[in-house]
Amino acid sequence: MRIFRSPANPIIVPGDVKPSRDDYEVVGVFNPAVARLEDEVVLLLRVAERPVATRPNVTVVPIYEHSHARIIEKEFFRDDPQNDFSDPRFVIRAGQKYLSSISHLRLARSKNGIDFEIDKTAAIQPAGIYEAFGVEDARITRIDDEYYVHYVAVCSSGVTTMLASTIDFTSFHRLGVIFCPDNKDVLIFPQRIAGRFYALHRPVSAEFTKRYEIWISESPDLRCWGNHRILCAPRADSWDAVKIGGGAPPFKTEYGWLEVYHGVDVDNRYCLGALLLDPDEPWKILARSDTPIFVPQADYEVAGFVQNVVFTCGLLCEKGRLKIYYGAADTCICYAEIELHDVIESLSLQGC
Ligand code: MAN
Protein backbone atom coordinates (compact mmCIF):
# COMPACT_ATOMS: atom_id res chain seq x y z
CA MET A 1 0.00 0.00 0.00
CA ARG A 2 1.37 3.42 -0.95
CA ILE A 3 1.01 5.75 2.04
CA PHE A 4 1.92 9.42 1.70
CA ARG A 5 2.73 10.63 5.20
CA SER A 6 2.90 14.41 5.45
CA PRO A 7 6.50 15.65 5.73
CA ALA A 8 5.06 18.05 8.33
CA ASN A 9 4.17 15.13 10.65
CA PRO A 10 3.34 15.27 13.43
CA ILE A 11 1.12 18.20 12.47
CA ILE A 12 -0.08 18.85 16.06
CA VAL A 13 1.88 17.99 19.20
CA PRO A 14 1.02 18.49 22.90
CA GLY A 15 3.23 21.60 23.10
CA ASP A 16 0.98 23.31 20.49
CA VAL A 17 -2.03 23.14 22.79
CA LYS A 18 -2.61 25.53 25.67
CA PRO A 19 -3.62 23.59 28.79
CA SER A 20 -7.05 24.52 30.13
CA ARG A 21 -5.46 25.46 33.48
CA ASP A 22 -2.05 26.87 34.41
CA ASP A 23 -1.37 23.99 36.81
CA TYR A 24 -2.17 21.35 34.15
CA GLU A 25 -0.07 19.93 31.33
CA VAL A 26 -1.21 18.48 28.01
CA VAL A 27 0.08 14.91 27.78
CA GLY A 28 -1.53 13.99 24.50
CA VAL A 29 -3.38 15.53 21.58
CA PHE A 30 -4.65 12.78 19.32
CA ASN A 31 -7.55 10.92 17.63
CA PRO A 32 -9.22 13.96 16.00
CA ALA A 33 -12.61 14.08 14.29
CA VAL A 34 -12.59 15.93 10.97
CA ALA A 35 -15.07 17.83 8.83
CA ARG A 36 -15.09 20.33 6.02
CA LEU A 37 -16.71 23.62 6.98
CA GLU A 38 -16.85 25.92 3.96
CA ASP A 39 -13.23 26.51 2.87
CA GLU A 40 -11.72 25.17 6.07
CA VAL A 41 -10.85 21.80 7.55
CA VAL A 42 -11.98 21.60 11.17
CA LEU A 43 -10.71 19.10 13.68
CA LEU A 44 -12.07 18.24 17.09
CA LEU A 45 -8.92 17.25 18.91
CA ARG A 46 -8.84 14.98 21.89
CA VAL A 47 -6.74 16.88 24.44
CA ALA A 48 -5.60 14.76 27.39
CA GLU A 49 -4.42 16.72 30.43
CA ARG A 50 -3.32 16.07 33.96
CA PRO A 51 -2.04 18.14 36.88
CA VAL A 52 1.66 18.98 36.58
CA ALA A 53 3.43 16.44 38.82
CA THR A 54 4.92 18.04 41.90
CA ARG A 55 5.55 14.90 44.02
CA PRO A 56 7.35 11.98 42.35
CA ASN A 57 5.74 9.35 44.57
CA VAL A 58 2.15 10.42 43.84
CA THR A 59 -0.01 10.11 40.72
CA VAL A 60 -2.88 12.60 40.72
CA VAL A 61 -5.97 11.68 38.72
CA PRO A 62 -8.35 14.46 37.66
CA ILE A 63 -12.08 13.70 37.86
CA TYR A 64 -15.00 15.95 36.91
CA GLU A 65 -17.45 16.16 39.80
CA HIS A 66 -20.86 16.94 38.41
CA SER A 67 -22.52 17.90 41.72
CA HIS A 68 -20.13 20.84 42.17
CA ALA A 69 -19.31 21.37 38.47
CA ARG A 70 -15.57 21.25 39.15
CA ILE A 71 -12.54 19.04 38.68
CA ILE A 72 -11.37 17.20 41.80
CA GLU A 73 -8.06 15.41 42.13
CA LYS A 74 -7.61 11.93 43.53
CA GLU A 75 -4.17 10.89 44.77
CA PHE A 76 -2.60 7.47 44.32
CA PHE A 77 0.69 6.65 46.01
CA ARG A 78 3.07 4.93 43.62
CA ASP A 79 4.54 2.66 46.27
CA ASP A 80 1.15 1.41 47.46
CA PRO A 81 0.88 -2.20 46.18
CA GLN A 82 -2.90 -1.86 45.96
CA ASN A 83 -2.48 0.66 43.13
CA ASP A 84 -1.89 -0.79 39.65
CA PHE A 85 -0.04 1.55 37.25
CA SER A 86 0.95 -1.12 34.69
CA ASP A 87 -0.98 0.53 31.81
CA PRO A 88 -0.06 4.23 31.49
CA ARG A 89 -3.64 5.06 30.50
CA PHE A 90 -5.12 3.90 33.80
CA VAL A 91 -4.78 3.64 37.54
CA ILE A 92 -6.61 0.64 38.97
CA ARG A 93 -7.40 0.25 42.63
CA ALA A 94 -9.80 -2.15 44.35
CA GLY A 95 -11.39 -3.14 41.03
CA GLN A 96 -12.12 0.48 40.08
CA LYS A 97 -10.41 1.84 36.98
CA TYR A 98 -9.50 5.54 36.73
CA LEU A 99 -8.04 7.35 33.73
CA SER A 100 -4.60 8.84 34.35
CA SER A 101 -5.60 12.01 32.45
CA ILE A 102 -8.84 13.78 31.62
CA SER A 103 -9.70 14.62 28.02
CA HIS A 104 -11.77 17.34 26.42
CA LEU A 105 -12.47 18.22 22.78
CA ARG A 106 -10.78 21.27 21.29
CA LEU A 107 -11.46 22.87 17.92
CA ALA A 108 -8.71 23.49 15.37
CA ARG A 109 -9.14 25.11 11.95
CA SER A 110 -7.02 25.15 8.81
CA LYS A 111 -7.24 26.44 5.27
CA ASN A 112 -4.64 24.02 3.87
CA GLY A 113 -5.44 20.98 6.01
CA ILE A 114 -1.94 20.86 7.54
CA ASP A 115 -1.36 24.11 9.47
CA PHE A 116 -3.97 24.41 12.18
CA GLU A 117 -5.00 27.25 14.41
CA ILE A 118 -6.01 25.72 17.72
CA ASP A 119 -8.60 27.28 20.02
CA LYS A 120 -7.39 28.25 23.48
CA THR A 121 -10.40 26.74 25.26
CA ALA A 122 -12.50 23.57 25.00
CA ALA A 123 -15.29 23.15 22.45
CA ILE A 124 -16.80 20.28 24.47
CA GLN A 125 -15.61 19.66 27.99
CA PRO A 126 -16.77 17.11 30.57
CA ALA A 127 -20.24 17.90 31.89
CA GLY A 128 -22.82 15.73 33.63
CA ILE A 129 -22.41 12.40 35.37
CA TYR A 130 -21.49 10.35 32.30
CA GLU A 131 -18.40 12.41 31.47
CA ALA A 132 -16.68 12.40 34.89
CA PHE A 133 -13.47 10.82 33.53
CA GLY A 134 -13.51 12.83 30.32
CA VAL A 135 -14.70 13.01 26.74
CA GLU A 136 -12.68 11.34 23.97
CA ASP A 137 -12.33 10.26 20.37
CA ALA A 138 -15.03 12.32 18.65
CA ARG A 139 -16.36 11.60 15.18
CA ILE A 140 -18.27 14.06 13.00
CA THR A 141 -20.98 13.16 10.52
CA ARG A 142 -22.61 15.80 8.38
CA ILE A 143 -26.26 15.11 7.61
CA ASP A 144 -28.01 17.75 5.53
CA ASP A 145 -26.86 21.08 7.01
CA GLU A 146 -26.11 19.82 10.49
CA TYR A 147 -22.93 18.30 11.88
CA TYR A 148 -23.42 15.49 14.40
CA VAL A 149 -20.59 14.98 16.85
CA HIS A 150 -20.56 11.58 18.54
CA TYR A 151 -17.94 11.10 21.18
CA VAL A 152 -16.91 8.71 23.91
CA ALA A 153 -17.76 9.61 27.51
CA VAL A 154 -16.13 7.79 30.41
CA CYS A 155 -17.28 7.57 34.04
CA SER A 156 -17.29 5.00 36.82
CA SER A 157 -20.43 3.41 35.29
CA GLY A 158 -18.55 2.71 32.08
CA VAL A 159 -17.91 3.94 28.58
CA THR A 160 -20.85 5.42 26.67
CA THR A 161 -21.29 7.36 23.45
CA MET A 162 -22.86 10.82 23.48
CA LEU A 163 -24.40 12.80 20.64
CA ALA A 164 -24.28 16.55 20.07
CA SER A 165 -25.18 18.66 17.04
CA THR A 166 -23.81 21.90 15.66
CA ILE A 167 -24.06 23.98 12.53
CA ASP A 168 -20.99 26.18 13.07
CA PHE A 169 -18.73 24.44 15.64
CA THR A 170 -19.22 27.47 17.89
CA SER A 171 -22.16 26.18 19.90
CA PHE A 172 -23.11 22.56 20.45
CA HIS A 173 -26.51 21.16 21.30
CA ARG A 174 -26.08 18.13 23.56
CA LEU A 175 -28.49 15.29 22.79
CA GLY A 176 -27.42 12.82 25.49
CA VAL A 177 -26.28 9.20 25.63
CA ILE A 178 -27.03 7.22 22.47
CA PHE A 179 -25.30 3.92 23.33
CA CYS A 180 -25.09 2.45 26.87
CA PRO A 181 -21.91 1.10 28.51
CA ASP A 182 -19.63 -0.29 27.36
CA ASN A 183 -19.89 1.03 23.85
CA LYS A 184 -17.51 3.18 21.83
CA ASP A 185 -16.30 3.64 18.25
CA VAL A 186 -19.78 4.74 17.21
CA LEU A 187 -19.95 5.96 13.61
CA ILE A 188 -23.07 7.44 12.10
CA PHE A 189 -23.53 7.07 8.34
CA PRO A 190 -23.83 10.43 6.54
CA GLN A 191 -27.15 9.73 4.85
CA ARG A 192 -30.34 7.80 5.39
CA ILE A 193 -30.61 4.40 3.71
CA ALA A 194 -34.19 3.53 2.73
CA GLY A 195 -35.32 6.23 5.16
CA ARG A 196 -33.35 4.98 8.19
CA PHE A 197 -30.19 6.24 9.86
CA TYR A 198 -27.43 3.68 10.43
CA ALA A 199 -24.50 3.51 12.83
CA LEU A 200 -21.62 1.16 13.47
CA HIS A 201 -20.70 0.67 17.12
CA ARG A 202 -18.63 -1.54 19.37
CA PRO A 203 -20.41 -2.91 22.45
CA VAL A 204 -18.32 -5.06 24.81
CA SER A 205 -19.70 -7.70 27.10
CA ALA A 206 -17.84 -7.09 30.38
CA GLU A 207 -19.36 -10.15 32.08
CA PHE A 208 -19.29 -12.87 29.55
CA THR A 209 -17.12 -13.11 26.45
CA LYS A 210 -15.28 -9.77 26.41
CA ARG A 211 -15.33 -9.89 22.63
CA TYR A 212 -14.65 -6.68 20.72
CA GLU A 213 -16.84 -6.79 17.61
CA ILE A 214 -18.38 -4.20 15.32
CA TRP A 215 -22.17 -4.06 15.29
CA ILE A 216 -24.59 -2.16 13.06
CA SER A 217 -27.86 -0.59 14.19
CA GLU A 218 -30.55 1.63 12.77
CA SER A 219 -32.60 4.55 13.95
CA PRO A 220 -35.53 6.71 12.84
CA ASP A 221 -34.18 9.86 14.54
CA LEU A 222 -30.46 9.41 15.50
CA ARG A 223 -31.41 9.11 19.19
CA CYS A 224 -33.17 5.74 19.53
CA TRP A 225 -31.17 2.87 18.08
CA GLY A 226 -32.40 -0.68 17.43
CA ASN A 227 -32.32 -3.70 15.13
CA HIS A 228 -28.79 -4.38 16.44
CA ARG A 229 -26.76 -6.87 14.42
CA ILE A 230 -23.19 -8.12 14.50
CA LEU A 231 -21.32 -6.89 11.46
CA CYS A 232 -17.88 -8.40 11.94
CA ALA A 233 -15.51 -9.90 14.47
CA PRO A 234 -11.76 -10.09 15.09
CA ARG A 235 -9.99 -12.85 13.14
CA ALA A 236 -7.58 -15.25 14.81
CA ASP A 237 -3.92 -15.08 13.70
CA SER A 238 -4.56 -11.81 11.92
CA TRP A 239 -3.63 -8.11 12.21
CA ASP A 240 -7.12 -7.63 13.75
CA ALA A 241 -7.06 -10.72 16.00
CA VAL A 242 -7.82 -9.19 19.40
CA LYS A 243 -10.04 -6.14 18.96
CA ILE A 244 -11.67 -4.25 16.14
CA GLY A 245 -13.57 -0.97 16.19
CA GLY A 246 -14.83 1.57 13.70
CA GLY A 247 -12.48 4.42 12.82
CA ALA A 248 -13.70 7.15 10.48
CA PRO A 249 -17.43 7.46 9.74
CA PRO A 250 -18.26 5.39 6.63
CA PHE A 251 -18.49 7.23 3.33
CA LYS A 252 -20.13 6.33 0.05
CA THR A 253 -18.04 5.25 -2.94
CA GLU A 254 -19.15 3.87 -6.28
CA TYR A 255 -18.41 0.40 -4.87
CA GLY A 256 -20.33 0.70 -1.61
CA TRP A 257 -19.75 2.17 1.87
CA LEU A 258 -16.10 2.29 2.79
CA GLU A 259 -15.26 1.99 6.46
CA VAL A 260 -11.69 2.47 7.68
CA TYR A 261 -11.48 0.64 11.00
CA HIS A 262 -8.79 -0.20 13.53
CA GLY A 263 -7.63 -3.66 14.44
CA VAL A 264 -5.46 -4.71 17.37
CA ASP A 265 -3.15 -7.71 17.17
CA VAL A 266 -1.74 -9.97 19.87
CA ASP A 267 1.15 -7.54 20.41
CA ASN A 268 -1.32 -4.67 21.05
CA ARG A 269 -0.37 -3.04 17.75
CA TYR A 270 -3.13 -0.75 16.36
CA CYS A 271 -3.34 -0.79 12.54
CA LEU A 272 -5.97 0.44 10.09
CA GLY A 273 -7.85 -1.68 7.59
CA ALA A 274 -11.03 -1.31 5.57
CA LEU A 275 -14.45 -2.83 5.12
CA LEU A 276 -16.59 -2.39 2.05
CA LEU A 277 -20.30 -2.57 2.86
CA ASP A 278 -23.23 -3.07 0.54
CA PRO A 279 -24.57 0.34 -0.56
CA ASP A 280 -28.22 -0.55 0.15
CA GLU A 281 -27.83 -3.22 2.82
CA PRO A 282 -24.87 -1.99 4.89
CA TRP A 283 -25.10 -4.95 7.27
CA LYS A 284 -23.57 -7.02 4.43
CA ILE A 285 -19.78 -7.02 4.05
CA LEU A 286 -18.63 -7.10 0.44
CA ALA A 287 -14.89 -7.00 1.06
CA ARG A 288 -12.37 -6.65 3.90
CA SER A 289 -8.65 -6.05 4.39
CA ASP A 290 -6.73 -9.29 4.91
CA THR A 291 -3.64 -7.20 5.51
CA PRO A 292 -3.73 -3.74 7.08
CA ILE A 293 -3.73 -0.68 4.84
CA PHE A 294 -1.82 1.37 7.42
CA VAL A 295 0.70 0.06 9.93
CA PRO A 296 2.60 2.05 12.61
CA GLN A 297 6.10 2.50 11.20
CA ALA A 298 7.20 6.12 11.56
CA ASP A 299 9.06 7.09 14.75
CA TYR A 300 6.09 9.07 16.04
CA GLU A 301 3.80 6.05 15.53
CA VAL A 302 5.96 3.40 17.15
CA ALA A 303 7.00 5.39 20.24
CA GLY A 304 4.92 7.61 22.51
CA PHE A 305 2.42 7.38 25.34
CA VAL A 306 1.12 4.07 23.94
CA GLN A 307 3.53 2.56 21.42
CA ASN A 308 2.62 1.19 17.99
CA VAL A 309 -0.67 2.99 17.49
CA VAL A 310 -2.24 4.54 14.40
CA PHE A 311 -5.85 5.40 15.22
CA THR A 312 -8.22 7.39 13.04
CA CYS A 313 -11.51 9.02 13.96
CA GLY A 314 -11.92 10.86 10.68
CA LEU A 315 -10.85 11.29 7.09
CA LEU A 316 -11.90 13.31 4.06
CA CYS A 317 -12.32 11.53 0.75
CA GLU A 318 -11.57 14.18 -1.86
CA LYS A 319 -10.53 13.84 -5.50
CA GLY A 320 -10.07 10.07 -5.17
CA ARG A 321 -7.75 10.34 -2.17
CA LEU A 322 -8.30 9.46 1.46
CA LYS A 323 -6.97 12.31 3.59
CA ILE A 324 -6.51 10.60 6.90
CA TYR A 325 -6.11 12.48 10.17
CA TYR A 326 -4.93 10.14 12.88
CA GLY A 327 -3.59 9.87 16.36
CA ALA A 328 -0.04 8.50 16.55
CA ALA A 329 1.01 6.59 19.67
CA ASP A 330 -1.77 8.34 21.67
CA THR A 331 0.54 11.38 21.70
CA CYS A 332 0.19 13.56 18.61
CA ILE A 333 -1.80 14.14 15.43
CA CYS A 334 -0.57 13.19 11.97
CA TYR A 335 -1.79 13.30 8.41
CA ALA A 336 -1.46 10.82 5.56
CA GLU A 337 -3.01 10.26 2.16
CA ILE A 338 -3.86 7.00 0.42
CA GLU A 339 -5.44 6.58 -3.01
CA LEU A 340 -9.02 5.32 -2.72
CA HIS A 341 -8.31 3.10 -5.69
CA ASP A 342 -5.36 1.45 -3.88
CA VAL A 343 -7.55 0.69 -0.87
CA ILE A 344 -10.34 -0.81 -2.98
CA GLU A 345 -7.85 -2.93 -4.94
CA SER A 346 -6.32 -4.26 -1.74
CA LEU A 347 -9.56 -5.62 -0.31
CA SER A 348 -10.47 -9.30 -0.38
CA LEU A 349 -13.95 -10.28 -1.39
CA GLN A 350 -15.93 -11.80 1.45
CA GLY A 351 -18.07 -14.87 1.04
CA CYS A 352 -21.38 -13.15 1.72
C1 MAN B 1 -8.41 2.59 22.79
C2 MAN B 1 -8.89 4.01 22.97
C3 MAN B 1 -8.23 4.97 22.00
C4 MAN B 1 -6.75 4.78 21.97
C5 MAN B 1 -6.40 3.33 21.73
C6 MAN B 1 -4.90 3.04 21.77
O1 MAN B 1 -8.98 2.06 21.64
O2 MAN B 1 -8.58 4.41 24.28
O3 MAN B 1 -8.54 6.28 22.37
O4 MAN B 1 -6.18 5.58 20.95
O5 MAN B 1 -7.02 2.53 22.73
O6 MAN B 1 -4.38 3.24 23.05
Side-chain angles (χ1 to χ4, degrees):
M1 182 66 58
R2 293 175 302 162
I3 311 271
F4 304 91
R5 286 178 174 82
S6 170
N9 276 349
I11 58 169
I12 303 177
V13 297
D16 299 334
V17 184
K18 186 181 180 325
S20 53
R21 290 166 49 160
D22 289 343
D23 55 341
Y24 273 45
E25 60 179 349
V26 173
V27 289
V29 55
F30 53 113
N31 301 359
V34 60
R36 260 218 183 266
L37 180 66
E38 292 155 11
D39 63 341
E40 289 187 322
V41 176
V42 296
L43 301 180
L44 274 174
L45 320 175
R46 171 176 171 189
V47 176
E49 297 177 301
R50 66 179 177 211
V52 175
T54 50
R55 287 172 295 163
N57 61 330
V58 180
T59 290
V60 180
V61 165
I63 299 171
Y64 174 76
E65 192 186 54
H66 172 58
S67 53
H68 294 93
R70 60 170 187 187
I71 302 271
I72 56 161
E73 286 159 3
K74 205 170 163 56
E75 296 187 339
F76 296 89
F77 286 88
R78 297 203 62 94
D79 53 6
D80 182 341
Q82 288 191 65
N83 297 334
D84 176 355
F85 300 101
S86 56
D87 185 322
R89 293 173 294 183
F90 313 113
V91 178
I92 305 169
R93 184 185 173 89
Q96 172 70 57
K97 213 172 189 177
Y98 301 89
L99 295 183
S100 57
S101 61
I102 190 163
S103 294
H104 65 263
L105 305 177
R106 189 87 65 100
L107 193 73
R109 297 168 182 269
S110 171
K111 293 264 192 243
N112 66 8
I114 297 291
D115 302 299
F116 282 87
E117 205 163 297
I118 304 167
D119 279 5
K120 300 274 184 284
T121 55
I124 296 180
Q125 60 189 353
I129 57 172
Y130 305 109
E131 300 179 356
F133 296 173
V135 295
E136 308 180 347
D137 298 0
R139 274 82 173 187
I140 301 167
T141 298
R142 183 179 175 170
I143 301 176
D144 304 329
D145 286 336
E146 206 132 7
Y147 293 89
Y148 289 90
V149 180
H150 25 307
Y151 59 92
V152 173
V154 190
C155 71
S156 54
S157 296
V159 178
T160 61
T161 294
M162 315 290 290
L163 184 65
S165 67
T166 184
I167 48 170
D168 53 11
F169 290 91
T170 304
S171 61
F172 295 84
H173 179 47
R174 286 173 182 261
L175 297 161
V177 177
I178 51 168
F179 286 93
C180 296
D182 274 350
N183 203 324
K184 54 166 43 175
D185 300 326
V186 173
L187 312 171
I188 296 177
F189 286 63
Q191 65 194 59
R192 295 168 190 82
I193 302 166
R196 312 282 288 175
F197 295 106
Y198 282 82
L200 305 180
H201 58 109
R202 214 276 304 275
V204 178
S205 157
E207 278 278 310
F208 193 50
T209 58
K210 279 213 166 138
R211 280 172 72 89
Y212 294 79
E213 299 174 336
I214 299 177
W215 290 54
I216 186 165
S217 302
E218 57 184 79
S219 169
D221 60 4
L222 296 171
R223 291 171 183 73
C224 303
W225 292 90
N227 196 13
H228 308 295
R229 291 179 252 194
I230 295 176
L231 182 70
C232 63
R235 296 170 294 187
D237 305 321
S238 175
W239 67 275
D240 54 5
V242 178
K243 293 181 187 177
I244 54 171
F251 59 95
K252 194 100 177 254
T253 71
E254 59 182 294
Y255 315 99
W257 293 99
L258 193 73
E259 166 54 21
V260 174
Y261 72 101
H262 63 264
V264 185
D265 70 11
V266 288
D267 297 318
N268 208 41
R269 182 180 71 153
Y270 281 69
C271 297
L272 301 179
L275 292 167
L276 188 66
L277 308 178
D278 186 281
D280 306 313
E281 299 178 314
W283 55 90
K284 292 185 180 162
I285 299 174
L286 303 178
R288 183 172 177 179
S289 298
D290 278 342
T291 54
I293 58 172
F294 196 175
V295 174
Q297 264 166 359
D299 295 350
Y300 44 80
E301 296 161 355
V302 297
F305 189 66
V306 181
Q307 61 184 22
N308 289 321
V309 177
V310 289
F311 193 100
T312 189
C313 292
L315 60 81
L316 301 170
C317 183
E318 293 175 340
K319 297 189 180 142
R321 288 174 89 82
L322 306 193
K323 302 177 172 180
I324 304 176
Y325 292 87
Y326 64 99
D330 283 7
T331 303
C332 54
I333 292 176
C334 297
Y335 175 81
E337 293 188 0
I338 309 182
E339 299 281 342
L340 171 62
H341 175 259
D342 286 356
V343 175
I344 298 291
E345 276 216 324
S346 73
L347 301 179
S348 306
L349 293 178
Q350 300 292 294
C352 52

